[in-house]
Amino acid sequence: MSYVQGFLVAVPKAKKQAYIQSAQAAAPIFKEYGALRIVETWSETIADGKVTDFKMAVKATPDEAVVFSWIEWPDQQTYEAAHARMQTDARWQEMPEMPFDGKRMVWGGFEPIFDTQSEPWTGAGFASSS
């Protein structure tokens, strides 16, 4: 099964286009390293939590949106090899400055445990509505 690298970051709303451009510039490099899919999403509806929520996780201010993104890799080994290559790839130095505060970015690697896209979903184990 694949391996997913997930990211959560607060981006100034005024820098949305700059963020999109940086994501578009980085995507072909990730694909060259072996990424299967890169998804970038811009917050539209985020509920305010009492204990935690997406905005609190990245300390987003009212003038910032939360970006939830992920990169899907064939497996963890491919990601790890890509990560090692990224450390010495000069193209990253040529990228424009990231339009967000990287100190507030949350990220991690995940092993998928359920995916309706890769496995037929029958609804088995779920209560029927009839």
Side-chain angles (χ1 to χ4, degrees):
M1 191 173 278
S2 63
Y3 183 75
V4 176
Q5 199 68 23
F7 306 88
L8 195 62
V9 66
V11 178
K13 292 174 184 175
K15 294 186 177 183
K16 181 177 183 179
Q17 194 56 42
Y19 184 86
I20 292 169
Q21 290 170 337
S22 67
Q24 289 172 331
I29 301 172
F30 288 125
K31 294 287 274 185
E32 180 183 315
Y33 291 149
L36 302 172
R37 183 177 183 204
I38 300 107
V39 178
E40 301 280 349
T41 65
W42 191 263
S43 62
E44 289 294 323
T45 306
I46 297 179
D48 291 327
K50 292 181 181 177
V51 176
T52 190
D53 62 35
F54 280 100
K55 293 178 281 187
M56 283 191 252
V58 293
K59 299 182 178 178
T61 62
D63 66 326
E64 292 177 319
V66 176
V67 170
F68 172 49
S69 61
W70 65 92
I71 302 173
E72 183 179 351
W73 301 92
D75 50 48
Q76 187 172 358
Q77 295 75 22
T78 302
Y79 161 72
E80 289 172 354
H83 181 72
R85 288 177 55 203
M86 285 184 236
Q87 305 307 308
T88 59
D89 190 327
R91 292 177 291 181
W92 296 115
Q93 303 307 317
E94 299 165 6
M95 293 282 182
E97 185 175 334
M98 297 306 292
F100 59 85
D101 178 3
K103 292 179 283 195
R104 292 186 287 143
M105 180 169 67
V106 178
W107 63 276
F110 300 85
E111 173 191 0
I113 57 173
F114 178 78
D115 182 348
T116 62
Q117 188 172 16
S118 64
E119 298 175 16
W121 185 68
T122 62
F126 291 91
S128 172
S129 61
S130 54

